[in-house]
Amino acid sequence: IGDLIKQINAKLAGHYRYYGVTDNSNGIHAFGYRIRRKILEVLNRRSQKNSLTWEGFAKLEERFPLVNARIYVNIYG
């Protein structure tokens, strides 16, 4: 899981740096939420039952944190 999160963080950081401009904060935050949902879905596919809940995913994210979305370029100033 650590290697998976490391690769996802590299891709997320690149995405946030490219799209992290002023007035796009809602979009990149929504993208980060969708990525978290997809990771939870992929990790739940490892067995026949849903073994990972949002609470369990939050504990997993404490150990392997994902990159936070932020604005890198302010086009107004």
Side-chain angles (χ1 to χ4, degrees):
I1 292 177
D3 292 335
L4 174 69
I5 298 298
K6 186 185 228 183
Q7 290 177 353
I8 291 172
N9 275 338
K11 293 177 189 302
L12 276 175
H15 184 85
Y16 292 153
R17 286 191 180 112
Y18 187 80
Y19 291 104
V21 297
T22 308
D23 292 339
N24 201 18
S25 62
N26 289 338
I28 61 174
H29 286 290
F31 180 77
Y33 174 73
R34 285 189 210 118
I35 292 297
R36 283 174 170 80
R37 277 186 40 195
K38 186 53 89 172
I39 293 171
L40 179 68
E41 179 183 320
V42 167
L43 292 176
N44 272 333
R45 293 185 67 164
R46 296 183 301 166
S47 66
Q48 297 295 323
K49 61 179 183 167
N50 286 344
S51 58
L52 189 62
T53 61
W54 276 110
E55 291 82 17
F57 184 72
K59 289 179 185 176
L60 183 70
E61 199 172 3
E62 286 176 7
R63 183 166 179 194
F64 302 107
L66 290 173
V67 176
N68 290 327
R70 69 176 268 236
I71 300 299
Y72 283 91
V73 177
N74 183 359
I75 60 175
Y76 298 121

